Amino acid sequence: MAKIGGTGDSGKGGAVGGSAVLGQLIGDGDTQSDDPKWATLERKEARLRADQLSDLADLRRHVNARRQDRSEIITDNTLIRVAVDVLLQVHAHRLRGDTEEDLLHSVLPRRRAAAQQEEAS
């Protein structure tokens, strides 16, 4: 399993390889499977707030309405996987804090700017 710039059980730091991971995510590897994409994924439960669920459903409907190629199903889980990949690939180095709110502030530009203004006051 790939690690994001910290220490794991082995105590050695590592980073996620961008193109290799992206290749695995979009399925451009050498192995072809007859299994549907969802059957190749690991199950992970996450608890979301009601506003997150509502906004996620709205986003899924918006994305699906704008699609031209409908060969792959886009679900809420698809968007959650994309969000996880964005966090790991783009924002992992910025992630700092002791609480969920702190972590969110550390990666969202508007929240970072607001937090910096608040600290300056």
Side-chain angles (χ1 to χ4, degrees):
M1 180 170 170
K3 291 178 262 172
I4 303 294
T7 58
D9 293 336
S10 66
K12 297 178 183 175
V16 173
S19 61
V21 172
L22 185 58
Q24 291 172 352
L25 297 172
I26 61 175
D28 67 343
D30 294 334
T31 59
Q32 291 288 340
S33 174
D34 292 331
D35 293 334
K37 187 178 205 173
W38 65 265
T40 65
L41 302 169
E42 298 291 325
R43 185 168 192 72
K44 174 67 179 165
E45 181 179 325
R47 295 192 176 257
L48 302 175
R49 298 185 315 262
D51 64 303
Q52 290 173 318
L53 291 172
S54 176
D55 290 349
L56 188 60
D58 290 346
L59 179 59
R60 175 189 30 85
R61 284 189 289 274
H62 178 73
V63 167
N64 278 321
R66 294 179 23 213
R67 294 176 63 199
Q68 293 180 7
D69 178 358
R70 297 185 180 268
S71 60
E72 182 177 326
I73 296 171
I74 303 297
T75 65
D76 291 356
N77 284 332
T78 306
L79 298 178
I80 291 168
R81 286 191 300 274
V82 168
V84 168
D85 289 331
V86 169
L87 177 64
L88 296 175
Q89 300 287 325
V90 179
H91 298 296
H93 67 283
R94 284 193 215 142
L95 203 56
R96 303 274 188 280
D98 298 323
T99 66
E100 183 174 342
E101 185 177 358
D102 290 345
L103 295 170
L104 196 54
H105 281 293
S106 72
V107 295
L108 292 181
R110 284 184 242 149
R111 291 187 183 231
R112 272 199 323 264
Q116 289 170 350
Q117 286 177 347
E118 196 173 289
E119 289 174 6
S121 300

Short mmCIF file of all heavy atoms in Angstrom, two decimals, residues 39-100:
data_model
loop_
_atom_site.label_atom_id
_atom_site.label_comp_id
_atom_site.label_asym_id
_atom_site.label_seq_id
_atom_site.Cartn_x
_atom_site.Cartn_y
_atom_site.Cartn_z
N ALA A 39 -16.66 -4.31 -8.61
CA ALA A 39 -16.30 -5.59 -7.99
C ALA A 39 -14.80 -5.69 -7.73
O ALA A 39 -14.36 -6.53 -6.96
CB ALA A 39 -16.76 -6.74 -8.88
N THR A 40 -14.02 -4.82 -8.34
CA THR A 40 -12.56 -4.85 -8.15
C THR A 40 -12.12 -3.91 -7.02
O THR A 40 -10.94 -3.86 -6.71
CB THR A 40 -11.84 -4.44 -9.45
OG1 THR A 40 -12.14 -3.08 -9.75
CG2 THR A 40 -12.24 -5.34 -10.61
N LEU A 41 -13.05 -3.19 -6.44
CA LEU A 41 -12.73 -2.19 -5.42
C LEU A 41 -12.93 -2.74 -4.02
O LEU A 41 -13.75 -3.63 -3.80
CB LEU A 41 -13.60 -0.94 -5.62
CG LEU A 41 -13.48 -0.29 -7.00
CD1 LEU A 41 -14.56 0.76 -7.18
CD2 LEU A 41 -12.10 0.30 -7.18
N GLU A 42 -12.20 -2.17 -3.06
CA GLU A 42 -12.34 -2.55 -1.65
C GLU A 42 -13.48 -1.76 -1.03
O GLU A 42 -13.72 -0.61 -1.37
CB GLU A 42 -11.05 -2.24 -0.89
CG GLU A 42 -9.84 -3.00 -1.39
CD GLU A 42 -9.92 -4.49 -1.10
OE1 GLU A 42 -10.47 -4.87 -0.04
OE2 GLU A 42 -9.44 -5.27 -1.94
N ARG A 43 -14.16 -2.38 -0.07
CA ARG A 43 -15.26 -1.71 0.62
C ARG A 43 -14.71 -0.91 1.80
O ARG A 43 -13.86 -1.39 2.54
CB ARG A 43 -16.24 -2.77 1.11
CG ARG A 43 -17.48 -2.20 1.74
CD ARG A 43 -18.50 -3.34 1.92
NE ARG A 43 -19.80 -2.85 2.25
CZ ARG A 43 -20.63 -2.23 1.43
NH1 ARG A 43 -20.26 -2.01 0.19
NH2 ARG A 43 -21.81 -1.82 1.82
N LYS A 44 -15.19 0.32 1.97
CA LYS A 44 -14.81 1.19 3.09
C LYS A 44 -16.03 2.01 3.46
O LYS A 44 -16.59 2.69 2.60
CB LYS A 44 -13.64 2.10 2.68
CG LYS A 44 -13.26 3.12 3.71
CD LYS A 44 -12.68 2.48 4.94
CE LYS A 44 -12.28 3.52 5.96
NZ LYS A 44 -12.05 2.94 7.26
N GLU A 45 -16.43 1.95 4.70
CA GLU A 45 -17.58 2.72 5.15
C GLU A 45 -17.12 4.11 5.59
O GLU A 45 -16.08 4.25 6.22
CB GLU A 45 -18.26 2.02 6.32
CG GLU A 45 -19.47 2.77 6.81
CD GLU A 45 -20.17 2.06 7.96
OE1 GLU A 45 -20.20 0.82 7.96
OE2 GLU A 45 -20.67 2.77 8.85
N ALA A 46 -17.89 5.11 5.25
CA ALA A 46 -17.62 6.47 5.70
C ALA A 46 -18.94 7.10 6.12
O ALA A 46 -19.97 6.90 5.48
CB ALA A 46 -16.98 7.29 4.58
N ARG A 47 -18.89 7.86 7.16
CA ARG A 47 -20.09 8.57 7.61
C ARG A 47 -20.02 10.00 7.11
O ARG A 47 -19.03 10.68 7.31
CB ARG A 47 -20.18 8.53 9.13
CG ARG A 47 -20.37 7.10 9.62
CD ARG A 47 -20.75 7.07 11.07
NE ARG A 47 -21.00 5.71 11.47
CZ ARG A 47 -22.22 5.21 11.64
NH1 ARG A 47 -23.28 5.95 11.45
NH2 ARG A 47 -22.36 3.96 12.01
N LEU A 48 -21.10 10.43 6.45
CA LEU A 48 -21.16 11.76 5.88
C LEU A 48 -22.30 12.54 6.52
O LEU A 48 -23.30 11.96 6.94
CB LEU A 48 -21.38 11.68 4.36
CG LEU A 48 -20.33 10.89 3.58
CD1 LEU A 48 -20.73 10.79 2.12
CD2 LEU A 48 -18.97 11.53 3.71
N ARG A 49 -22.14 13.86 6.56
CA ARG A 49 -23.20 14.72 7.08
C ARG A 49 -24.34 14.79 6.05
O ARG A 49 -24.13 14.53 4.86
CB ARG A 49 -22.67 16.14 7.32
CG ARG A 49 -21.56 16.23 8.36
CD ARG A 49 -21.18 17.69 8.63
NE ARG A 49 -21.02 18.47 7.42
CZ ARG A 49 -19.85 18.72 6.83
NH1 ARG A 49 -18.73 18.23 7.32
NH2 ARG A 49 -19.79 19.45 5.73
N ALA A 50 -25.51 15.18 6.50
CA ALA A 50 -26.68 15.29 5.61
C ALA A 50 -26.43 16.28 4.48
O ALA A 50 -26.78 16.02 3.32
CB ALA A 50 -27.92 15.70 6.41
N ASP A 51 -25.75 17.42 4.79
CA ASP A 51 -25.48 18.40 3.73
C ASP A 51 -24.49 17.85 2.71
O ASP A 51 -24.60 18.13 1.51
CB ASP A 51 -24.97 19.72 4.32
CG ASP A 51 -23.63 19.59 5.03
OD1 ASP A 51 -23.52 18.78 5.97
OD2 ASP A 51 -22.69 20.31 4.64
N GLN A 52 -23.54 17.02 3.15
CA GLN A 52 -22.59 16.41 2.23
C GLN A 52 -23.30 15.44 1.28
O GLN A 52 -23.04 15.42 0.08
CB GLN A 52 -21.48 15.67 2.99
CG GLN A 52 -20.53 16.57 3.72
CD GLN A 52 -19.56 15.80 4.59
OE1 GLN A 52 -19.94 14.84 5.26
NE2 GLN A 52 -18.31 16.22 4.57
N LEU A 53 -24.21 14.64 1.85
CA LEU A 53 -24.96 13.69 1.03
C LEU A 53 -25.81 14.41 -0.01
O LEU A 53 -25.85 14.02 -1.18
CB LEU A 53 -25.84 12.80 1.91
CG LEU A 53 -25.10 11.80 2.79
CD1 LEU A 53 -26.07 11.13 3.75
CD2 LEU A 53 -24.38 10.78 1.93
N SER A 54 -26.47 15.47 0.42
CA SER A 54 -27.32 16.24 -0.49
C SER A 54 -26.49 16.91 -1.59
O SER A 54 -26.82 16.83 -2.78
CB SER A 54 -28.09 17.30 0.30
OG SER A 54 -28.83 18.11 -0.56
N ASP A 55 -25.38 17.54 -1.20
CA ASP A 55 -24.51 18.21 -2.17
C ASP A 55 -23.87 17.21 -3.12
O ASP A 55 -23.70 17.47 -4.31
CB ASP A 55 -23.44 19.03 -1.47
CG ASP A 55 -24.00 20.26 -0.75
OD1 ASP A 55 -25.18 20.60 -0.97
OD2 ASP A 55 -23.24 20.86 0.03
N LEU A 56 -23.52 16.05 -2.60
CA LEU A 56 -22.92 15.00 -3.42
C LEU A 56 -23.92 14.50 -4.47
O LEU A 56 -23.58 14.34 -5.64
CB LEU A 56 -22.45 13.84 -2.54
CG LEU A 56 -21.64 12.74 -3.18
CD1 LEU A 56 -20.36 13.27 -3.80
CD2 LEU A 56 -21.32 11.66 -2.15
N ALA A 57 -25.16 14.29 -4.06
CA ALA A 57 -26.21 13.86 -5.00
C ALA A 57 -26.45 14.93 -6.06
O ALA A 57 -26.60 14.61 -7.24
CB ALA A 57 -27.49 13.54 -4.25
N ASP A 58 -26.48 16.20 -5.64
CA ASP A 58 -26.64 17.30 -6.60
C ASP A 58 -25.49 17.32 -7.61
O ASP A 58 -25.70 17.49 -8.81
CB ASP A 58 -26.70 18.65 -5.89
CG ASP A 58 -27.98 18.85 -5.09
OD1 ASP A 58 -28.95 18.09 -5.28
OD2 ASP A 58 -27.99 19.79 -4.25
N LEU A 59 -24.27 17.15 -7.11
CA LEU A 59 -23.09 17.15 -7.99
C LEU A 59 -23.15 15.98 -8.97
O LEU A 59 -22.87 16.14 -10.15
CB LEU A 59 -21.81 17.11 -7.15
CG LEU A 59 -20.51 17.09 -7.94
CD1 LEU A 59 -20.38 18.32 -8.84
CD2 LEU A 59 -19.33 16.99 -6.98
N ARG A 60 -23.53 14.79 -8.48
CA ARG A 60 -23.64 13.62 -9.35
C ARG A 60 -24.66 13.88 -10.46
O ARG A 60 -24.38 13.59 -11.63
CB ARG A 60 -24.05 12.38 -8.55
CG ARG A 60 -24.31 11.17 -9.45
CD ARG A 60 -24.92 9.98 -8.73
NE ARG A 60 -25.76 10.26 -7.62
CZ ARG A 60 -27.07 10.56 -7.69
NH1 ARG A 60 -27.67 10.66 -8.84
NH2 ARG A 60 -27.76 10.75 -6.58
N ARG A 61 -25.81 14.44 -10.11
CA ARG A 61 -26.82 14.74 -11.14
C ARG A 61 -26.28 15.76 -12.14
O ARG A 61 -26.48 15.62 -13.35
CB ARG A 61 -28.11 15.26 -10.48
CG ARG A 61 -28.91 14.14 -9.83
CD ARG A 61 -30.28 14.62 -9.38
NE ARG A 61 -30.22 15.51 -8.23
CZ ARG A 61 -30.20 15.09 -6.97
NH1 ARG A 61 -30.24 13.81 -6.68
NH2 ARG A 61 -30.15 15.97 -5.99
N HIS A 62 -25.56 16.77 -11.66
CA HIS A 62 -24.98 17.79 -12.53
C HIS A 62 -23.95 17.18 -13.48
O HIS A 62 -23.97 17.44 -14.69
CB HIS A 62 -24.35 18.89 -11.68
CG HIS A 62 -23.68 19.96 -12.46
ND1 HIS A 62 -24.37 20.91 -13.17
CD2 HIS A 62 -22.36 20.21 -12.67
CE1 HIS A 62 -23.51 21.72 -13.77
NE2 HIS A 62 -22.28 21.31 -13.49
N VAL A 63 -23.06 16.36 -12.94
CA VAL A 63 -22.03 15.71 -13.76
C VAL A 63 -22.69 14.79 -14.79
O VAL A 63 -22.32 14.81 -15.98
CB VAL A 63 -21.03 14.91 -12.87
CG1 VAL A 63 -20.16 13.99 -13.70
CG2 VAL A 63 -20.19 15.87 -12.04
N ASN A 64 -23.66 14.01 -14.37
CA ASN A 64 -24.33 13.09 -15.29
C ASN A 64 -25.09 13.83 -16.39
O ASN A 64 -25.14 13.37 -17.52
CB ASN A 64 -25.25 12.13 -14.54
CG ASN A 64 -24.49 10.96 -13.95
OD1 ASN A 64 -23.58 10.42 -14.57
ND2 ASN A 64 -24.85 10.58 -12.75
N ALA A 65 -25.65 14.97 -16.07
CA ALA A 65 -26.40 15.75 -17.06
C ALA A 65 -25.49 16.30 -18.15
O ALA A 65 -25.93 16.49 -19.29
CB ALA A 65 -27.17 16.88 -16.39
N ARG A 66 -24.22 16.55 -17.83
CA ARG A 66 -23.27 17.15 -18.78
C ARG A 66 -22.47 16.12 -19.55
O ARG A 66 -21.69 16.48 -20.42
CB ARG A 66 -22.32 18.08 -18.03
CG ARG A 66 -23.01 19.27 -17.43
CD ARG A 66 -22.10 20.20 -16.66
NE ARG A 66 -20.70 20.12 -17.04
CZ ARG A 66 -19.70 20.31 -16.21
NH1 ARG A 66 -19.92 20.58 -14.96
NH2 ARG A 66 -18.45 20.22 -16.64
N ARG A 67 -22.64 14.85 -19.25
CA ARG A 67 -21.83 13.80 -19.88
C ARG A 67 -22.23 13.55 -21.32
O ARG A 67 -23.39 13.66 -21.68
CB ARG A 67 -22.01 12.49 -19.11
CG ARG A 67 -21.45 12.55 -17.73
CD ARG A 67 -21.72 11.29 -16.96
NE ARG A 67 -21.06 10.17 -17.60
CZ ARG A 67 -21.39 8.91 -17.39
NH1 ARG A 67 -22.37 8.62 -16.58
NH2 ARG A 67 -20.74 7.95 -18.00
N GLN A 68 -21.23 13.19 -22.11
CA GLN A 68 -21.49 12.76 -23.48
C GLN A 68 -21.30 11.25 -23.61
O GLN A 68 -22.11 10.57 -24.23
CB GLN A 68 -20.58 13.50 -24.45
CG GLN A 68 -20.91 14.97 -24.52
CD GLN A 68 -20.01 15.72 -25.49
OE1 GLN A 68 -19.22 15.14 -26.21
NE2 GLN A 68 -20.13 17.02 -25.49
N ASP A 69 -20.22 10.73 -23.02
CA ASP A 69 -19.95 9.29 -23.04
C ASP A 69 -20.57 8.68 -21.79
O ASP A 69 -20.14 8.97 -20.67
CB ASP A 69 -18.44 9.05 -23.07
CG ASP A 69 -18.06 7.58 -23.05
OD1 ASP A 69 -18.96 6.71 -22.98
OD2 ASP A 69 -16.85 7.29 -23.09
N ARG A 70 -21.54 7.84 -21.96
CA ARG A 70 -22.22 7.22 -20.82
C ARG A 70 -21.86 5.74 -20.66
O ARG A 70 -22.64 4.95 -20.15
CB ARG A 70 -23.72 7.41 -20.95
CG ARG A 70 -24.10 8.88 -20.93
CD ARG A 70 -25.60 9.09 -20.94
NE ARG A 70 -25.90 10.51 -20.93
CZ ARG A 70 -26.10 11.21 -19.83
NH1 ARG A 70 -26.03 10.64 -18.66
NH2 ARG A 70 -26.36 12.50 -19.90
N SER A 71 -20.66 5.38 -21.10
CA SER A 71 -20.24 3.98 -21.04
C SER A 71 -19.91 3.54 -19.61
O SER A 71 -19.90 2.35 -19.32
CB SER A 71 -19.03 3.75 -21.94
OG SER A 71 -17.95 4.56 -21.55
N GLU A 72 -19.62 4.47 -18.73
CA GLU A 72 -19.32 4.15 -17.33
C GLU A 72 -20.35 4.85 -16.46
O GLU A 72 -20.70 6.00 -16.69
CB GLU A 72 -17.92 4.63 -16.98
CG GLU A 72 -17.51 4.32 -15.56
CD GLU A 72 -16.08 4.74 -15.26
OE1 GLU A 72 -15.23 4.69 -16.15
OE2 GLU A 72 -15.84 5.15 -14.10
N ILE A 73 -20.82 4.15 -15.45
CA ILE A 73 -21.81 4.72 -14.53
C ILE A 73 -21.07 5.65 -13.56
O ILE A 73 -20.05 5.28 -12.98
CB ILE A 73 -22.54 3.61 -13.75
CG1 ILE A 73 -23.34 2.74 -14.72
CG2 ILE A 73 -23.44 4.20 -12.69
CD1 ILE A 73 -23.92 1.50 -14.08
N ILE A 74 -21.58 6.86 -13.38
CA ILE A 74 -21.04 7.80 -12.40
C ILE A 74 -22.00 7.84 -11.23
O ILE A 74 -23.16 8.22 -11.37
CB ILE A 74 -20.88 9.22 -13.00
CG1 ILE A 74 -20.01 9.20 -14.25
CG2 ILE A 74 -20.34 10.18 -11.95
CD1 ILE A 74 -18.58 8.76 -14.04
N THR A 75 -21.52 7.41 -10.07
CA THR A 75 -22.34 7.34 -8.86
C THR A 75 -21.74 8.26 -7.80
O THR A 75 -20.67 8.84 -7.98
CB THR A 75 -22.36 5.90 -8.31
OG1 THR A 75 -21.04 5.55 -7.89
CG2 THR A 75 -22.86 4.90 -9.35
N ASP A 76 -22.44 8.36 -6.68
CA ASP A 76 -21.90 9.11 -5.54
C ASP A 76 -20.55 8.51 -5.14
O ASP A 76 -19.60 9.24 -4.83
CB ASP A 76 -22.86 9.06 -4.35
CG ASP A 76 -24.13 9.85 -4.58
OD1 ASP A 76 -24.27 10.51 -5.64
OD2 ASP A 76 -25.01 9.80 -3.71
N ASN A 77 -20.44 7.18 -5.15
CA ASN A 77 -19.18 6.53 -4.79
C ASN A 77 -18.07 6.89 -5.76
O ASN A 77 -16.91 7.03 -5.35
CB ASN A 77 -19.35 5.01 -4.73
CG ASN A 77 -20.06 4.57 -3.48
OD1 ASN A 77 -19.99 5.23 -2.45
ND2 ASN A 77 -20.75 3.44 -3.56
N THR A 78 -18.39 7.04 -7.04
CA THR A 78 -17.39 7.47 -8.02
C THR A 78 -16.82 8.82 -7.61
O THR A 78 -15.60 9.02 -7.61
CB THR A 78 -18.03 7.59 -9.43
OG1 THR A 78 -18.68 6.38 -9.77
CG2 THR A 78 -16.99 7.96 -10.48
N LEU A 79 -17.70 9.76 -7.27
CA LEU A 79 -17.26 11.10 -6.89
C LEU A 79 -16.48 11.08 -5.58
O LEU A 79 -15.51 11.83 -5.42
CB LEU A 79 -18.46 12.04 -6.79
CG LEU A 79 -19.23 12.24 -8.10
CD1 LEU A 79 -20.43 13.15 -7.88
CD2 LEU A 79 -18.34 12.77 -9.19
N ILE A 80 -16.85 10.21 -4.66
CA ILE A 80 -16.10 10.08 -3.41
C ILE A 80 -14.68 9.57 -3.70
O ILE A 80 -13.71 10.09 -3.16
CB ILE A 80 -16.83 9.16 -2.41
CG1 ILE A 80 -18.11 9.84 -1.92
CG2 ILE A 80 -15.92 8.77 -1.24
CD1 ILE A 80 -19.05 8.92 -1.15
N ARG A 81 -14.56 8.58 -4.60
CA ARG A 81 -13.23 8.09 -4.97
C ARG A 81 -12.39 9.17 -5.63
O ARG A 81 -11.19 9.30 -5.36
CB ARG A 81 -13.34 6.85 -5.88
CG ARG A 81 -13.77 5.60 -5.15
CD ARG A 81 -13.61 4.36 -6.00
NE ARG A 81 -14.37 4.40 -7.23
CZ ARG A 81 -15.65 4.02 -7.35
NH1 ARG A 81 -16.30 3.57 -6.28
NH2 ARG A 81 -16.26 4.08 -8.52
N VAL A 82 -13.02 9.97 -6.49
CA VAL A 82 -12.30 11.09 -7.12
C VAL A 82 -11.83 12.07 -6.05
O VAL A 82 -10.68 12.53 -6.08
CB VAL A 82 -13.19 11.79 -8.18
CG1 VAL A 82 -12.58 13.11 -8.63
CG2 VAL A 82 -13.42 10.87 -9.36
N ALA A 83 -12.70 12.39 -5.09
CA ALA A 83 -12.33 13.32 -4.02
C ALA A 83 -11.17 12.77 -3.19
O ALA A 83 -10.25 13.53 -2.83
CB ALA A 83 -13.54 13.61 -3.13
N VAL A 84 -11.17 11.50 -2.90
CA VAL A 84 -10.07 10.88 -2.15
C VAL A 84 -8.78 10.98 -2.95
O VAL A 84 -7.72 11.34 -2.42
CB VAL A 84 -10.40 9.42 -1.79
CG1 VAL A 84 -9.16 8.68 -1.28
CG2 VAL A 84 -11.52 9.36 -0.76
N ASP A 85 -8.85 10.70 -4.26
CA ASP A 85 -7.66 10.80 -5.10
C ASP A 85 -7.13 12.23 -5.15
O ASP A 85 -5.92 12.44 -5.10
CB ASP A 85 -7.94 10.30 -6.51
CG ASP A 85 -8.12 8.79 -6.55
OD1 ASP A 85 -7.52 8.10 -5.71
OD2 ASP A 85 -8.86 8.31 -7.43
N VAL A 86 -8.02 13.21 -5.23
CA VAL A 86 -7.58 14.62 -5.23
C VAL A 86 -6.90 14.95 -3.91
O VAL A 86 -5.84 15.58 -3.89
CB VAL A 86 -8.76 15.58 -5.51
CG1 VAL A 86 -8.37 17.02 -5.24
CG2 VAL A 86 -9.26 15.41 -6.94
N LEU A 87 -7.47 14.51 -2.81
CA LEU A 87 -6.84 14.75 -1.51
C LEU A 87 -5.45 14.12 -1.45
O LEU A 87 -4.48 14.77 -1.05
CB LEU A 87 -7.71 14.20 -0.38
CG LEU A 87 -7.14 14.32 1.03
CD1 LEU A 87 -6.96 15.78 1.42
CD2 LEU A 87 -8.03 13.60 2.02
N LEU A 88 -5.34 12.89 -1.87
CA LEU A 88 -4.06 12.18 -1.80
C LEU A 88 -3.03 12.70 -2.79
O LEU A 88 -1.84 12.79 -2.47
CB LEU A 88 -4.27 10.68 -2.02
CG LEU A 88 -5.12 9.96 -0.96
CD1 LEU A 88 -5.36 8.52 -1.38
CD2 LEU A 88 -4.47 10.04 0.39
N GLN A 89 -3.46 13.04 -3.99
CA GLN A 89 -2.54 13.43 -5.04
C GLN A 89 -2.19 14.92 -5.03
O GLN A 89 -1.09 15.29 -5.41
CB GLN A 89 -3.13 13.09 -6.42
CG GLN A 89 -3.43 11.64 -6.65
CD GLN A 89 -2.19 10.82 -6.84
OE1 GLN A 89 -1.23 11.29 -7.42
NE2 GLN A 89 -2.20 9.59 -6.35
N VAL A 90 -3.13 15.76 -4.62
CA VAL A 90 -2.95 17.21 -4.77
C VAL A 90 -2.74 17.91 -3.42
O VAL A 90 -1.95 18.84 -3.33
CB VAL A 90 -4.16 17.83 -5.50
CG1 VAL A 90 -4.01 19.33 -5.65
CG2 VAL A 90 -4.36 17.17 -6.86
N HIS A 91 -3.42 17.48 -2.41
CA HIS A 91 -3.44 18.24 -1.15
C HIS A 91 -2.75 17.56 0.03
O HIS A 91 -2.68 18.16 1.11
CB HIS A 91 -4.88 18.56 -0.76
CG HIS A 91 -5.60 19.41 -1.74
ND1 HIS A 91 -5.22 20.70 -2.02
CD2 HIS A 91 -6.67 19.15 -2.52
CE1 HIS A 91 -6.03 21.21 -2.93
NE2 HIS A 91 -6.91 20.29 -3.26
N ALA A 92 -2.26 16.36 -0.12
CA ALA A 92 -1.70 15.62 1.02
C ALA A 92 -0.58 16.39 1.71
O ALA A 92 -0.49 16.39 2.94
CB ALA A 92 -1.20 14.25 0.57
N HIS A 93 0.25 17.08 0.96
CA HIS A 93 1.38 17.81 1.54
C HIS A 93 0.93 19.00 2.38
O HIS A 93 1.68 19.48 3.22
CB HIS A 93 2.35 18.25 0.45
CG HIS A 93 1.78 19.29 -0.47
ND1 HIS A 93 0.88 18.98 -1.47
CD2 HIS A 93 1.96 20.63 -0.51
CE1 HIS A 93 0.55 20.10 -2.10
NE2 HIS A 93 1.19 21.11 -1.54
N ARG A 94 -0.28 19.49 2.17
CA ARG A 94 -0.79 20.65 2.92
C ARG A 94 -1.58 20.26 4.16
O ARG A 94 -1.89 21.11 4.99
CB ARG A 94 -1.75 21.45 2.04
CG ARG A 94 -1.09 22.28 1.02
CD ARG A 94 -2.13 23.25 0.47
NE ARG A 94 -1.87 23.44 -0.92
CZ ARG A 94 -2.78 23.57 -1.86
NH1 ARG A 94 -4.04 23.54 -1.55
NH2 ARG A 94 -2.44 23.74 -3.10
N LEU A 95 -1.95 19.02 4.27
CA LEU A 95 -2.84 18.56 5.33
C LEU A 95 -2.19 18.69 6.70
O LEU A 95 -1.18 18.05 6.98
CB LEU A 95 -3.24 17.12 5.05
CG LEU A 95 -4.52 16.59 5.65
CD1 LEU A 95 -5.71 17.45 5.25
CD2 LEU A 95 -4.75 15.16 5.21
N ARG A 96 -2.73 19.56 7.52
CA ARG A 96 -2.21 19.82 8.87
C ARG A 96 -3.39 20.06 9.81
O ARG A 96 -4.38 20.64 9.42
CB ARG A 96 -1.35 21.10 8.90
CG ARG A 96 -0.18 21.12 7.95
CD ARG A 96 1.05 20.46 8.56
NE ARG A 96 2.24 20.63 7.74
CZ ARG A 96 2.52 19.91 6.66
NH1 ARG A 96 1.68 19.01 6.23
NH2 ARG A 96 3.64 20.11 6.00
N GLY A 97 -3.23 19.67 11.04
CA GLY A 97 -4.24 19.99 12.04
C GLY A 97 -4.54 18.84 12.96
O GLY A 97 -4.15 17.71 12.73
N ASP A 98 -5.29 19.17 14.02
CA ASP A 98 -5.64 18.21 15.05
C ASP A 98 -7.10 17.80 15.01
O ASP A 98 -7.49 16.84 15.68
CB ASP A 98 -5.32 18.78 16.43
CG ASP A 98 -3.83 19.06 16.60
OD1 ASP A 98 -3.02 18.27 16.09
OD2 ASP A 98 -3.49 20.08 17.24
N THR A 99 -7.91 18.55 14.27
CA THR A 99 -9.34 18.27 14.19
C THR A 99 -9.78 18.25 12.73
O THR A 99 -9.04 18.69 11.85
CB THR A 99 -10.17 19.35 14.92
OG1 THR A 99 -10.02 20.59 14.21
CG2 THR A 99 -9.74 19.51 16.37
N GLU A 100 -10.97 17.75 12.48
CA GLU A 100 -11.50 17.75 11.13
C GLU A 100 -11.57 19.17 10.57
O GLU A 100 -11.21 19.41 9.42
CB GLU A 100 -12.90 17.12 11.11
CG GLU A 100 -13.51 17.02 9.72
CD GLU A 100 -14.82 16.27 9.70
OE1 GLU A 100 -15.13 15.52 10.66
OE2 GLU A 100 -15.56 16.42 8.71
#
